[in-house]
Amino acid sequence: VPSLLSIMSQHAVGKAENQGASTWWGAFRLLACLTNIFMIIGMYLEYLWAADWPELPAHCEYRSTLAWLDLADCFHRYTFSHAMLRGQNLTIFAFVGALVAACLTMVEHQRVRRLTSLLKLYAVKASGAEDPAQQCLKHLSVYSRLMDLAFPGVLLLVPFNLERPVMHYGCTLLVVSAMVGGVVAYATMPLAAAAGLSDQEEPTNELHDWAKRHQSLKWKAGAIIALHFVLPATAAVHHFAWLDATGRLFGLCEVSAILSYQIFLATFVADDFAAPKFAPVPSPTRKVAASLIAGGL
């Protein structure tokens, strides 16, 4: 029985090494991310070019004394949420967003499943609660659940747009929290430790290769988190300066934060397109058959 389990394990490793990553997943990811990026940039630039926005409410002059909903109403101009209300943008966002959300959900499920299987095959075993492989699996579970919440959650911004401000801000908080939480959960998992890879060591299996790519991802995650501190800072500057330039700066930071999620997800295309660069483990099937025949079954 132990030898049979060993053979099955080797066969699973060989299958994982040989199957590689389907280029279709990478193509779908690139198509979805680029479509979403171009839609967001196109809508926003057309909104700025048209400059067709109503006058700011008169109470904005006394914004320091306003309730939070009235205060938030003063910051709509130059935001993407305001751009969504222009023309047929809500319909376009709903249609394109639904396709993109479905596509990203599929490719991320596939990518997480693949990494999970590699962790189970190659991870360095450690005893106790500090086992890095088990920590990685927990991080991946949290990340996957948060992405499953964030992708369809974006579509709630269509019915709950700025004309329903309380629901709009609630949905926005939900989506942003899920996306930022997912970025943090994925970037902080100890994948290099689970793979047993040091900084100077060259990858010797696919999990090592994945860990190398994960290490290069951390500064991008840091930039996304930093951008979410810059955004409220620009809002504070606009609140006190109350200039057209500071309003545009706040809007630009908001759109940049939205685009940062798409860029973060697009970087995973390297995982989708990655093909095994290491010698595949020979399949033991024929050896088993030969030994059984030679031994008279």
Side-chain angles (χ1 to χ4, degrees), residues 65-146:
T65 61
L66 296 176
W68 75 271
L69 265 181
D70 293 328
L71 177 62
D73 189 45
C74 297
F75 285 77
H76 289 170
R77 184 179 291 184
Y78 303 129
T79 63
F80 185 75
S81 296
H82 201 216
M84 286 175 61
L85 297 179
R86 176 173 166 77
Q88 299 299 314
N89 283 352
L90 279 175
T91 303
I92 296 172
F93 186 89
F95 178 73
V96 175
L99 295 177
V100 169
C103 187
L104 288 178
T105 299
M106 288 190 297
V107 297
E108 277 303 278
H109 276 202
Q110 168 66 19
R111 195 181 67 86
V112 169
R113 280 198 301 267
R114 185 169 177 228
L115 179 53
T116 300
S117 66
L118 289 173
L119 279 167
K120 292 178 179 179
L121 288 172
Y122 291 115
V124 176
K125 302 300 180 183
S127 59
E130 299 301 320
D131 181 7
Q134 291 302 318
Q135 291 183 34
C136 284
L137 292 175
K138 290 178 182 178
H139 279 244
L140 279 177
S141 177
V142 171
Y143 169 78
S144 185
R145 292 174 187 273
L146 288 174

Side-chain angles (χ1 to χ4, degrees), residues 68-69 153 156-157 160-161 164-178:
W68 75 271
L69 265 181
L156 293 176
L157 298 177
F160 302 128
N161 53 63
R164 298 178 176 88
V166 175
M167 294 301 299
H168 177 78
Y169 297 131
C171 290
T172 301
L173 179 62
L174 175 70
V175 173
V176 171
S177 299

Side-chain angles (χ1 to χ4, degrees), residues 225-278:
I225 303 304
L227 186 57
H228 285 76
F229 285 97
V230 173
L231 182 59
T234 58
V237 170
H238 182 47
H239 175 79
F240 291 107
W242 206 246
L243 301 172
D244 184 72
T246 56
R248 290 177 182 270
L249 178 62
F250 171 66
L252 178 62
C253 286
E254 185 225 26
V255 173
S256 299
I258 297 171
L259 292 175
S260 70
Y261 307 142
Q262 306 303 315
I263 296 172
F264 181 79
L265 293 169
T267 58
F268 292 141
V269 73
D271 296 334
D272 298 325
F273 282 123
K277 301 183 297 184
F278 314 101

Side-chain angles (χ1 to χ4, degrees), residues 39-52:
M39 177 191 69
I40 293 168
I41 293 176
M43 281 185 180
Y44 192 66
L45 290 180
E46 193 275 336
Y47 165 80
L48 293 179
W49 174 80
D52 182 21

